[in-house]
Each structure stands twice: as C-alpha cells, then as structure tokens.
Amino acid sequence: MEFLAAERWSPYLVGIGIGLLSWLTFLISQKPLACSTTFAKSSGMLERAIRGREVADKPYYREITLGIDWQFMLVIGIVLGSLASALLSGSFKLQWVPSLWDEVFGSAILPRLLVSLMGGIFLGFGARWANGCTSGHGISGTMQLAISSWVSAIFFFIGGIIVAQIIF
Amino acid sequence: MQNTNKNSQLLWGLGFGIVFGFLLQKGGVTRHDVIVRQLLLTEHTVLIVMLSAMLTGMIGLHIFKAFGLVKLAPKSGSISQNVIGGLTFGIGFALLGYCPGTLAGAIGNGYLDALLGGLPGILIGAGLFAALYPKLQSKILKAGYFGDLTLPRLFNVKDWVVVVPAAVLILLLLILLQ
C-alpha cells in the first residue's frame, strides 16, 4: 500500500491509468471522461436558485439541461479523489499563491485571486464556446479521433503557450 | 427500474471521478506550477499524461468498437467553435494554471486560488456564454461547420488505418518527451 502514499507517480503510469479508466467509463456508463459541462450546469443552477425558474428556459440551458447527472458526480468525485490522494501522501495544503507565481509576481494574495478569477472566466467561456475542455476534447475526444477535439486540443495549447510566455 | 439504473450510474460517475481525481493528483497535474511549466515548455508532465491516456484509450476503444461493445460519440464542431473557443480556453488555461478537471482536483488538493478565484471565474464565464448563446448559436459558432467528423471518416479509411500510425506517432512523441 506504500505506493498509495507516494507523492507522485510516473506521468506515464498516470496517463495509462486514465486511459484504462476511460475504457471503463465507455463500457459501463457509455460516457467519456469530461468535466466542463458540469460547470455550465452549476452556473445555470446557481442562477436559477437566485433568479427563479425561468433561467432554465434559456436556450443554452434547455440544450444541456440543468440537474445533477453522471458527469456532475464525476467532477465531485475528482475533488474527493484528489483530496484522498493528497491526504495519503501528506501533500494536502491550504495554499493561496502557487510557488511559481510567487517567484514571478510575489506572494500577495489579491493579484493572484484576481488573475485566477479572470483566467476562470476565459476558461469557462472558452470551454463552452469550444464545447469541451482538456478532458472532454483533449483526452476523450482525441482518443476517438474526433476532428473537433484535435483542433480544440491544439488550440488550447497554442493559446496557453502564447499567454504563458507573455506573462511569466 | 429506470430510477435504480439512473442512481447506479450516478454512483459509477462518482466512483470514476474519485479514481480520476486520485490519478490527476498523483500525476502532479492538480498543481498550477506543473501546468504553467508545461505551457512554458520547461517540463512535459501534462503532455505525457495526456498522450499516454490518449494512446491507451484510443487502442482500447477502437478494439471495443470493432466488437460492438461501445458506441463512440465524437463531438461535432466547426472551425470557429474549436479555433476561437480553443484559443479563449488557452488564455484562461495560462492565466489560471488549471483546466476544468484539474481545477476540481486543485480544490481537493487545498489550493485556494482554485476554490476562490478559478471556480467563481469558470461559473461566470460559463454563465456569460449561456447569456450570449442565442446570438452566437446561429452565426459565428456555425462558421466552418464540419459536424462530428473523425479522422478515419475524413480520409474515408478503416479506423485501423488511422489508429496504428497515430499510436506509433504518439509513442514516438512520448519517447521524445522523456
């Protein structure tokens, strides 16, 4: 059981594990590993809780339908699985500012939070525009050889690499 | 019957998610620094994880497909959807240092910039998209529409004609990244 407490596993092994996991999600649930629709549903459900039922009638929410589904549970599971792994290896820590960010921009919390917020907005908007994220397109879609996913995955990295080179 | 099935699928989803999150954390990709270093091209953990998953998944899924065990569901897309959406996503990817899946993992890992910056951000971004969707849907999102096309169908060949060379290519790339 010692390997469960290791801080890191080989990224090759982790990738193979995720690949095998996607066999199971297809065989058992007829679903790909994917995450970003859940954030759109959450956003819609939150807005519905604040502004009332008619929010669910927005064309986009009618298309994706609001509610707790398989993928929603998958995302909850990711939080729990990561927490379990971090606790087992002692790498769980409450951290405001990542160390690479700290080296470049300093340890102030507010700038990091604001840029995270802005990054999140681009990420959420872009994932919906592209109809998928690094898991839905980048892993699950590319392995199905979907053109939409290969194009998206390539442009996720093109955009990311350009912006990272500029700001860091 | 319908309901029990639905509930058991929700449990499967949770279970698969726990394994996925566990793997992401062990792979180090729930960390901002690992993702940003990938985008700075100084460390290739993210690509190695993704390519290994892709390779394993691609081979398995196409075998299962050949035996009629799974039905694949390639997403449909368009040039504008996947290029503009992809670039927008990329901007957020670099600013935040997490993607949606690893954001969930980062929250489990205790990272507060993910919980209190990235999470509200992604909810706002998705909400903005939903608000603009009626205007975007009929025009810009459809520009360069190609549907749920796959590489084998694009070249009009059997799956294996693409899967085998793609597997070799990914394997070579993985060796190169070592």
Side-chain angles (χ1 to χ4, degrees), chain B residues 28-66:
Chain B
V29 293
T30 56
R31 299 173 190 205
H32 163 276
D33 295 3
V34 171
I35 289 178
V36 170
R37 274 193 223 107
Q38 175 65 69
L39 298 176
L40 293 172
L41 306 174
T42 53
E43 182 195 314
H44 296 291
T45 307
V46 177
L47 266 185
I48 292 171
V49 168
M50 289 180 73
L51 290 169
S52 308
M54 227 183 262
L55 178 65
T56 312
M58 177 179 69
I59 295 171
L61 289 187
H62 285 90
I63 292 173
F64 299 148
K65 186 188 165 199

Side-chain angles (χ1 to χ4, degrees), chain A residues 3-9 11-29 33-36 39-40 42-43 46 58-61 63 68-70 73-86 88-89 91-96 98-101 112-113 115-139 142-152 155-161 163-165 167-168, chain B residues 6 9-10 12-14 16-28 30-34 36-41 43 45-46 48-50 52-54 56-58 60-62 64 69-77 80-96 98-101 103-105 107-113 116-130 132-134 136-137 140-141 146 149-152 154 162-163 174 177-178:
Chain A
F3 74 103
L4 289 178
E7 192 170 341
R8 295 280 283 270
W9 289 351
Y12 294 90
L13 268 181
V14 167
I16 292 169
I18 294 172
L20 296 176
L21 184 65
S22 67
W23 294 8
L24 295 180
T25 64
F26 268 99
L27 286 169
I28 295 172
S29 302
L33 289 173
C35 299
S36 59
F39 293 95
S42 307
S43 180
L46 217 62
K58 288 191 185 182
Y60 192 65
Y61 295 140
E63 201 165 291
I68 309 282
D69 62 353
W70 183 89
M73 298 304 285
L74 184 89
V75 175
I76 304 280
I78 294 174
V79 179
L80 299 176
S82 172
L83 173 68
S85 166
L88 278 170
S89 65
S91 60
F92 178 87
K93 71 172 169 197
L94 293 175
Q95 173 191 278
W96 285 101
S99 43
L100 187 64
W101 177 276
R112 174 58 195 152
L113 265 192
V115 171
S116 301
L117 182 76
M118 206 162 66
I121 293 174
F122 276 103
L123 199 69
F125 192 82
R128 290 302 81 217
W129 188 297
N131 190 28
C133 62
T134 343
S135 39
H137 272 317
I139 294 177
T142 53
M143 70 171 68
Q144 298 180 65
L145 301 172
I147 309 274
S148 61
S149 298
W150 277 97
V151 175
S152 299
F155 281 92
F156 293 162
F157 279 95
I158 291 178
I161 287 169
V163 174
Q165 305 281 349
I167 62 174
F168 282 94
Chain B
K6 198 185 168 234
Q9 277 307 326
L10 290 180
W12 276 112
L14 183 69
F16 290 139
I18 291 173
V19 177
F20 193 21
F22 199 93
L23 287 167
L24 290 173
Q25 206 278 339
K26 287 281 182 249
T30 56
R31 299 173 190 205
H32 163 276
D33 295 3
V34 171
V36 170
R37 274 193 223 107
Q38 175 65 69
L39 298 176
L40 293 172
L41 306 174
E43 182 195 314
T45 307
V46 177
I48 292 171
V49 168
M50 289 180 73
S52 308
M54 227 183 262
T56 312
M58 177 179 69
L61 289 187
H62 285 90
F64 299 148
L69 293 171
V70 298
K71 211 174 153 264
L72 298 190
K75 289 183 177 185
S76 71
S80 64
Q81 234 188 328
N82 302 125
V83 173
I84 301 172
L87 287 173
T88 311
F89 182 96
I91 296 170
F93 199 17
L95 290 175
L96 178 57
Y98 310 109
C99 55
L103 179 81
I107 291 170
N109 213 141
Y111 301 147
L112 298 165
D113 57 339
L116 299 174
L119 180 62
I122 199 171
L123 295 175
I124 293 169
L128 268 174
F129 180 82
L132 293 173
Y133 184 66
L136 300 171
Q137 177 193 21
I140 185 143
L141 290 179
F146 49 74
L149 199 59
T150 60
L151 289 169
L154 174 70
V162 177
V163 170
L174 279 170
L177 290 173
Q178 209 166 12

